[in-house]
Amino acid sequence: MAVSDANERPSPVLQPGRPADPKPTQPPATTSAAQPPATRSTEVSQRPEPSTSGEVAEPSEVVGESEDANESPPEESKETVLLRQRDRRRLLRQCERVLLLDFNTLAIPDWPDNFTLSAARRRRDLWLFAASLAAVVFLAGVPGMVPAWVAGSGFGAFVLIALAGVPFVRRIFSSRPSYMDLLLLRQQRLREARSHIAHLEGEEGLAWQCAMMTDCNPALRSTRFSTLVNLSEKRVLARQLRRREHIRLYLIFMLEAEKAYDRLQSRYFEGHQQAIDNGWEQPSEPSSESAELDRSDESDAPSQE
């Protein structure tokens, strides 16, 4: 019976003498369970993966991004480069005195600290107390309030204590500086530092000119340097620095200005080399400019003397 049913069922293969089966209007619905495992794995592998961003980039956007990546930044014009080089050269000329900075003069490494000063003041107070006590004992013996030998001993002690206060006699017994020596040393170091600052500032003022190099060192924009810059612009900076804290602040500013000067100099050399490569300047220009600067300095030297 099964054999007869198989013979009666039409074969899906086109056989001779039988017309082709008509194409169904709708494909039969098949479930994933009815499909063989090999077919399901093939469909899973061919199924497109979802985009992680949730958006599909259009071809025009991809082409635009690739064109932007391939485009190089526009080259600067000759006038822009030469103008920037002229500004850099002007700043280098104005701020070249920063190279004359003497670190030890402004740092004052031998500055007497407060502890040393207080110890010297304590020794001075003890010396004054001993000298005053000996003088009182001697004066008390004049009207006969104390025996004569006590008054004589007081007079001798007073003389010895007074001699101990003389500088060249005191250095024989002790190498420690006195309170007055420390005060004089402080005043001397302050005078030397202020003289050096006046030499650096010159007639035009160095600090406010170095403040123009903020592009090379943003630390020069700090608000703690604003007072120094204002005083330097008014040409009264050296006279207003009366404390060591002011000297140290000026030293910090000059160190930052020296860093900015080095960076500005390297940028100027790079820009000059770029101008030479583009044919905008000749290699002999820097040497001729330096020669002109040397001649101008030599002509100014006799007038300053």
Side-chain angles (χ1 to χ4, degrees):
M1 185 68 179
V3 176
S4 61
D5 294 340
N7 294 332
E8 293 177 0
R9 184 181 302 171
S11 176
V13 181
L14 184 62
Q15 296 179 357
R18 189 177 71 84
D21 296 334
K23 185 177 181 181
T25 58
Q26 294 182 356
T30 58
T31 60
S32 60
Q35 295 179 358
T39 307
R40 286 181 302 192
S41 62
T42 305
E43 291 179 358
V44 172
S45 63
Q46 294 178 357
R47 184 179 302 170
E49 296 180 357
S51 176
T52 57
S53 61
E55 297 180 358
V56 179
E58 297 182 359
S60 59
E61 295 178 359
V62 176
V63 173
E65 292 178 358
S66 60
E67 291 179 354
D68 295 338
N70 294 331
E71 289 182 357
S72 59
E75 296 183 357
E76 297 178 344
S77 61
K78 175 182 177 181
E79 292 76 9
T80 304
V81 174
L82 294 182
L83 181 61
R84 184 169 60 249
Q85 285 294 102
R86 184 160 53 252
D87 294 339
R88 290 173 179 174
R89 184 164 55 248
R90 176 179 57 82
L91 280 178
L92 289 175
R93 289 177 179 176
Q94 292 177 353
C95 305
E96 63 182 353
R97 296 180 67 87
V98 74
L99 302 177
L100 302 177
L101 176 67
D102 188 358
F103 180 82
N104 291 329
T105 302
L106 298 183
I108 316 179
D110 57 345
W111 179 265
D113 55 358
N114 294 332
F115 177 78
T116 304
L117 203 65
S118 62
R121 184 169 58 248
R122 189 181 303 110
R123 292 193 302 269
R124 184 205 61 179
D125 296 340
L126 291 175
W127 176 80
L128 289 176
F129 176 75
S132 302
L133 182 60
V136 168
V137 172
F138 169 70
L139 294 177
V142 174
M145 298 177 61
V146 295
W149 65 272
V150 175
S153 300
F155 178 77
F158 174 78
V159 172
L160 293 177
I161 294 172
L163 289 176
V166 179
F168 66 89
V169 176
R170 184 185 63 254
R171 294 190 185 96
I172 297 175
F173 302 99
S174 176
S175 60
R176 292 181 297 182
S178 63
Y179 180 72
M180 186 60 63
D181 294 339
L182 295 177
L183 290 180
L184 293 177
L185 180 61
R186 279 190 170 188
Q187 294 178 2
Q188 181 182 358
R189 293 294 181 264
L190 284 177
R191 284 195 302 268
E192 293 175 355
R194 292 173 61 183
S195 176
H196 183 59
I197 291 174
H199 174 67
L200 291 177
E201 289 292 314
E203 298 180 357
E204 300 298 330
L206 178 63
W208 75 276
Q209 291 179 347
C210 292
M212 301 178 186
M213 298 187 294
T214 53
D215 294 338
C216 299
N217 190 358
L220 297 176
R221 295 194 185 98
S222 179
T223 55
R224 61 175 178 170
F225 300 139
S226 59
T227 305
L228 293 178
V229 174
N230 294 333
L231 293 176
S232 176
E233 188 175 3
K234 297 176 182 177
R235 281 74 166 174
V236 294
L237 178 60
R239 295 195 299 269
Q240 298 297 327
L241 301 180
R242 298 189 179 93
R243 300 177 60 182
R244 190 201 179 197
E245 291 79 7
H246 304 159
I247 305 296
R248 297 294 295 271
L249 182 62
Y250 183 83
L251 174 61
I252 295 173
F253 180 82
M254 284 293 106
L255 293 177
E256 296 294 341
E258 190 174 1
K259 294 179 184 178
Y261 186 86
D262 294 339
R263 296 173 186 173
L264 179 63
Q265 192 174 27
S266 62
R267 291 182 183 180
Y268 173 76
F269 289 149
E270 292 175 0
H272 182 68
Q273 186 63 38
Q274 178 184 359
I276 292 176
D277 296 340
N278 294 332
W280 298 337
E281 291 184 1
Q282 298 297 328
S284 59
E285 288 187 3
S287 59
S288 62
E289 290 178 359
S290 61
E292 292 177 0
L293 290 175
D294 294 340
R295 287 196 298 269
S296 63
D297 294 340
E298 290 177 359
S299 61
D300 294 340
S303 61
Q304 293 177 0
E305 292 178 357

